[in-house]
């Protein structure tokens, strides 16, 4: 495959990073908390009226209205002059005043706003946790949205929910209401960044078929260690590297039949806590074997991401994790460094792959009780779930970053940017959908004509190697407040213990003969109880209750 420039792969980076952001939002919490409280406290918006609001067509309202929007901001440009927002205002007749806060202080600001009661009309990209949705929803601070969706003010969302009922179910709280909207990616595969092979090493070692089992992977890594594939006459090759195993753990877990690092539901709907699974023992045993034979980087638990990257750019690494392979190895985007094919182990049914769930874990849009125009507001945000609205808010107006090559088929092409600007930097001046998780939809059609050879290669690799064995690890469920308090307490201690013992088992400080003692301790600390609570939450979700 011919080399191509970094800039040409921007569109793939944008869309895939949004997907990963959506999946990883609060991913380390496993805390989709909610209260089973009655909806009796849910209130209707102050002065709510649907008078003059069109259910289809534009403008949404004949007489202009102004709403207050709160959001987080990366500081690329003034939202008041952003072309995408100006175009939305022109199209809908709805104008916003903006209450913006930098990313690093937004969470604090959000809490202060909720506590003070000095609310905006709209929360845009607020990263609302499940607990926040239910707490402020049942208090009447956030209004239920399903009414406006079902009454015709959100035809695009309604169509998606009707076609994908699990999405609606995953954002419906125990009291039967939907207080926030998700980011939806109907084409996502990656849940985390995957593993890559160094193509130069494969070529040097005449490897024409990638490993398919853990034993074949072990033999390949040994070949790297012993054969000087970088050709410098030194034994400086590093078969497998990592940073504290955090970058490779989830991908490797799939080799032993586990879909997630903590909690997952298998294909039969049975919930598992990974650190006490038999597959986890297999993972530890294999990693310890690699460590003992100098096949796993002995700086794994001490190095930084930059130090790992330096080894890659020095052509020392055979197998590694990164968003794209050239991020670690340097050079330009190309198809020379193949995505790792997950390998099977002694565990029946392996390998598996924890695939992107297709929706954000947290809420990306909400309407507060201060909004006197909820119907119009719902029509406004619903546009973002259409092809046209998603194009506008993610790529800016036509003619600035892109233009139609064939409007009938939605085929686009890039335009020449002013002053030689980088596409992604320029995009951040056109739309607020930059560096934050926003409401809307991602479909392949959005990038028709804009993808490169590298983009298409990435998609093909993912479709062929990951999707056939992929499944979302766990649905977006809501725990009761009592359940959440218990789970938070249990995981606080277990996370620390499991992480410490993982490093000890892998490095041999704790022999694998100590597995039974470790397993007993995990269960004593609440491993089985975690499974019990999440099984109950999963069963409630599955039954729609």
């Amino acid at each position: 495959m011919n080399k191509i420039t970094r800039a040409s792969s921007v569109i793939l980076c944008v869309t895939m990073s949004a997907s990963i952001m959506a999946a990883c939002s609060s991913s380390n919490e496993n805390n989709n908390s909610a209260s089973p409280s009655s909806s009796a406290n849910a209130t209707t918006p102050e002065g709510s009226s649907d008078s003059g609001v069109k259910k289809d067509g534009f403008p949404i309202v004949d007489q202009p209205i102004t709403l207050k929007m709160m959001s987080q901001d990366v500081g690329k440009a003034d939202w008041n002059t952003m072309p995408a927002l100006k175009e939305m205002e022109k199209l809908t007749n709805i104008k916003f005043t903006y209450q913006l806060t930098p990313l690093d202080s937004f969470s604090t600001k959000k809490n202060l706003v909720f506590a003070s009661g000095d609310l905006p009309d709209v929360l845009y990209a607020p990263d609302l946790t499940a607990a926040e949705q239910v707490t402020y929803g049942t208090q009447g601070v956030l209004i239920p949205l399903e009414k406006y969706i079902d009454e015709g003010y959100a035809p695009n969302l309604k169509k998606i929910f009707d076609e994908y009922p699990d999405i609606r179910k995953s954002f419906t709280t125990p009291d039967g209401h939907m207080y926030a909207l998700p980011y939806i990616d109907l084409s996502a595969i990656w849940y985390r960044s995957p593993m890559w092979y160094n193509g130069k090493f494969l070529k040097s070692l005449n490897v024409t078929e990638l490993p398919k089992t853990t034993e074949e992977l072990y033999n390949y890594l040994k070949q790297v260690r012993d054969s000087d594939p970088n050709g410098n006459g030194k034994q400086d090759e590093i078969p497998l590297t990592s940073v504290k195993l955090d970058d490779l753990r989830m991908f490797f877990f799939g080799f032993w039949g586990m879909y997630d690092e903590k909690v997952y539901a298998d294909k039969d709907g049975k919930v598992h806590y990974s650190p006490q699974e038999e597959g986890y023992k297999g993972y530890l045993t294999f990693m310890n074997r690699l460590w003992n034979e100098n096949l796993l980087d002995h700086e794994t638990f001490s190095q930084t991401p930059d130090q790992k990257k330096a080894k890659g750019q020095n052509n020392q690494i055979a197998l590694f994790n990164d968003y794209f392979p050239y991020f670690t190895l340097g050079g330009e985007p190309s198809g020379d460094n193949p995505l790792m094919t997950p390998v099977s182990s002694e565990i029946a049914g392996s390998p598996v792959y924890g695939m992107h769930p297709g929706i954000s874990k947290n809420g990306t849009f909400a309407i507060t009780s201060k909004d006197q125009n909820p119907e119009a507001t719902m029509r406004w945000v619903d546009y973002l779930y259409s092809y046209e609205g998603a194009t506008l808010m993610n790529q800016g107006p036509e003619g600035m970053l892109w233009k139609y090559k064939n409007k009938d088929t939605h085929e686009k092409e890039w335009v020449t940017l002013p002053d030689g600007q980088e596409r992604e930097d320029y995009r951040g001046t056109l739309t607020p959908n930059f560096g934050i998780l926003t409401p809307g939809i991602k479909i392949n059609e959005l990038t028709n004509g804009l993808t490169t050879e590298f983009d298409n290669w990435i998609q093909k690799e993912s479709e062929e190697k990951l999707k056939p064995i992929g499944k979302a690890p766990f649905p977006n469920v809501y725990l009761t407040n009592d359940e959440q308090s218990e789970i938070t307490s249990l995981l606080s201690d277990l996370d620390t213990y499991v992480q410490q013992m993982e490093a000890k088992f892998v490095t041999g400080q704790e022999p694998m003969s100590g597995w039974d003692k470790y397993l007993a301790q995990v269960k004593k600390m609440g491993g089985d109880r975690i499974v019990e609570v999440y099984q109950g939450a999963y069963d409630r979700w599955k039954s729609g209750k």
Side-chain angles (χ1 to χ4, degrees):
M1 179 176 294
N2 295 331
K3 302 286 184 177
I4 56 178
T5 63
R6 285 183 172 85
S8 63
S9 63
V10 162
I11 193 66
L12 181 68
C13 192
V14 171
T15 55
M16 296 188 80
S17 61
S19 302
I20 291 177
M21 188 189 301
C24 295
S25 179
S26 302
S27 63
N28 292 327
E29 300 174 15
N30 274 310
N31 67 346
N32 293 340
S33 64
S35 168
S37 305
S38 167
S39 61
N41 293 328
T43 63
T44 56
E46 302 169 1
S48 173
S49 171
D50 63 356
S51 176
V53 179
K54 300 175 184 176
K55 292 186 176 181
D56 54 53
F58 294 99
I60 291 171
V61 288
D62 290 327
Q63 296 300 318
I65 60 174
T66 300
L67 303 174
K68 184 178 180 181
M69 175 187 287
M70 178 180 175
S71 185
Q72 46 189 328
D73 178 29
V74 299
K76 290 289 290 185
D78 183 356
W79 284 33
N80 290 290
T81 59
M82 280 185 174
L85 291 173
K86 297 299 289 184
E87 188 68 21
M88 282 291 290
E89 179 184 339
K90 178 181 176 182
L91 179 69
T92 64
N93 235 359
I94 299 174
K95 176 179 174 60
F96 284 96
T97 59
Y98 303 106
Q99 179 183 336
L100 305 176
T101 305
L103 269 64
D104 57 0
S105 56
F106 180 77
S107 180
T108 300
K109 179 66 175 179
K110 178 174 61 173
N111 291 335
L112 289 174
V113 166
F114 279 134
S116 69
D118 184 17
L119 299 168
D121 297 299
V122 167
L123 295 168
Y124 188 85
D127 201 25
L128 288 172
T129 66
E132 290 172 333
Q133 293 169 43
V134 174
T135 297
Y136 298 117
T138 55
Q139 289 176 2
V141 177
L142 304 178
I143 69 169
L145 303 178
E146 71 279 355
K147 169 186 174 181
Y148 306 106
I149 296 172
D150 293 334
E151 289 183 356
Y153 294 101
N156 294 302
L157 269 169
K158 183 66 163 59
K159 181 179 179 182
I160 294 170
F161 289 163
D162 287 347
E163 188 172 353
Y164 302 94
D166 282 357
I167 297 179
R168 179 169 188 153
K169 189 164 56 176
S170 296
F171 263 74
T172 298
T173 60
D175 64 2
H177 292 305
M178 178 179 290
Y179 296 110
L181 300 179
Y183 167 80
I184 301 172
D185 187 341
L186 299 179
S187 60
I189 296 177
W190 293 4
Y191 200 112
R192 303 280 193 275
S193 52
M195 303 292 297
W196 307 93
Y197 284 106
N198 183 334
K200 292 180 179 178
F201 282 22
L202 295 173
K203 185 175 181 180
S204 174
L205 297 172
N206 296 315
V207 175
T208 58
E209 187 172 336
L210 298 179
K212 295 181 179 178
T213 67
T214 51
E215 193 63 25
E216 289 178 5
L217 175 61
Y218 164 75
N219 289 329
Y220 171 69
L221 297 177
K222 277 206 310 180
Q223 192 178 5
V224 169
R225 182 195 63 190
D226 300 335
S227 303
D228 190 29
N230 65 12
N232 65 358
K234 303 176 184 178
Q235 197 170 12
D236 62 350
E237 287 81 4
I238 301 169
L240 173 65
T241 193
S242 175
V243 177
K244 297 180 176 60
L245 301 179
D246 292 338
D247 48 1
L248 64 74
R249 187 182 297 113
M250 185 164 172
F251 199 92
F252 269 49
F253 269 24
F255 306 168
W256 285 271
M258 299 174 289
Y259 287 94
D260 190 74
E261 297 172 68
K262 292 184 183 179
V263 176
Y264 67 92
D266 63 25
K267 292 182 178 180
D268 296 322
K270 181 180 179 182
V271 173
H272 302 262
Y273 176 55
S274 296
Q276 65 181 30
E277 289 294 301
E278 190 65 22
Y280 186 65
K281 179 182 180 181
Y283 157 80
L284 292 175
T285 302
F286 184 76
M287 299 306 287
N288 172 250
R289 182 186 186 189
L290 299 187
W291 179 275
N292 289 338
E293 299 191 34
N294 291 317
L295 302 179
L296 173 62
D297 193 345
H298 277 208
E299 294 183 345
T300 284
F301 295 99
S302 60
Q303 70 181 338
T304 66
D306 285 343
Q307 289 171 328
K308 170 186 142 181
K309 185 172 294 187
K311 295 173 182 177
Q313 294 180 352
N314 200 37
N315 198 29
Q316 292 179 263
I317 303 172
L319 181 61
F320 58 93
N321 170 281
D322 208 331
Y323 195 83
F324 294 137
Y326 70 90
F327 285 4
T328 288
L329 299 177
E332 300 296 334
S334 78
D336 297 335
N337 306 291
L339 188 151
M340 183 185 191
T341 301
V343 296
S344 63
S345 67
E346 69 279 6
I347 298 296
S350 65
V352 299
Y353 175 72
M355 197 163 72
H356 192 289
I359 57 174
S360 57
K361 182 176 286 289
N362 288 345
T364 63
F365 187 89
I367 302 174
T368 78
S369 58
K370 295 293 184 182
D371 190 341
Q372 297 186 35
N373 301 274
E375 294 88 357
T377 305
M378 181 57 73
R379 276 285 333 267
W380 185 92
V381 72
D382 181 65
Y383 185 60
L384 310 189
Y385 292 90
S386 69
Y387 166 81
E388 293 79 9
T391 291
L392 174 62
M393 291 298 282
N394 283 291
Q395 300 167 359
E398 182 181 3
M400 305 191 78
L401 184 66
W402 62 277
K403 64 180 180 180
Y404 277 116
K405 189 174 182 180
N406 187 330
K407 193 167 186 177
D408 291 339
T409 61
H410 290 165
E411 184 180 2
K412 303 169 183 170
E413 61 183 351
W414 299 117
V415 302
T416 302
L417 302 185
D419 304 321
Q421 295 187 51
E422 291 287 338
R423 285 199 187 107
E424 185 65 357
D425 286 339
Y426 185 58
R427 190 181 73 86
T429 69
L430 304 179
T431 172
N433 291 18
F434 178 90
I436 55 178
L437 190 61
T438 58
I441 188 169
K442 161 66 172 60
I443 52 178
N444 288 332
E445 191 179 6
L446 290 172
T447 57
N448 185 15
L450 300 179
T451 56
T452 65
E453 187 179 2
F454 178 70
D455 301 337
N456 296 333
W457 174 77
I458 290 285
Q459 187 68 26
K460 185 173 183 291
E461 287 280 281
S462 302
E463 291 276 354
E464 292 179 353
K465 296 179 179 179
L466 303 180
K467 193 171 183 178
I469 58 171
K471 186 187 81 69
F474 204 74
N476 196 43
V477 302
Y478 291 83
L479 302 182
T480 68
N481 284 332
D482 288 344
E483 287 172 339
Q484 183 55 57
S485 295
E486 182 181 8
I487 289 296
T488 299
S489 178
L490 292 175
L491 286 176
S492 176
D493 293 332
L494 270 169
D495 285 350
T496 300
Y497 177 69
V498 168
Q499 184 177 15
Q500 291 174 345
M501 292 304 295
E502 178 188 46
K504 289 182 179 180
F505 277 126
V506 170
T507 60
Q509 294 179 48
E510 178 73 28
M512 287 307 301
S513 59
W515 168 259
D516 289 343
K517 179 181 177 182
Y518 157 83
L519 184 60
Q521 182 64 20
V522 168
K523 291 179 177 292
K524 181 180 179 181
M525 294 174 71
D528 286 342
R529 177 57 181 161
I530 290 172
V531 171
E532 182 180 6
V533 170
Y534 275 104
Q535 185 70 63
Y538 179 87
D539 292 342
R540 290 197 302 267
W541 173 87
K542 191 174 181 180
S543 65
K545 297 178 180 179

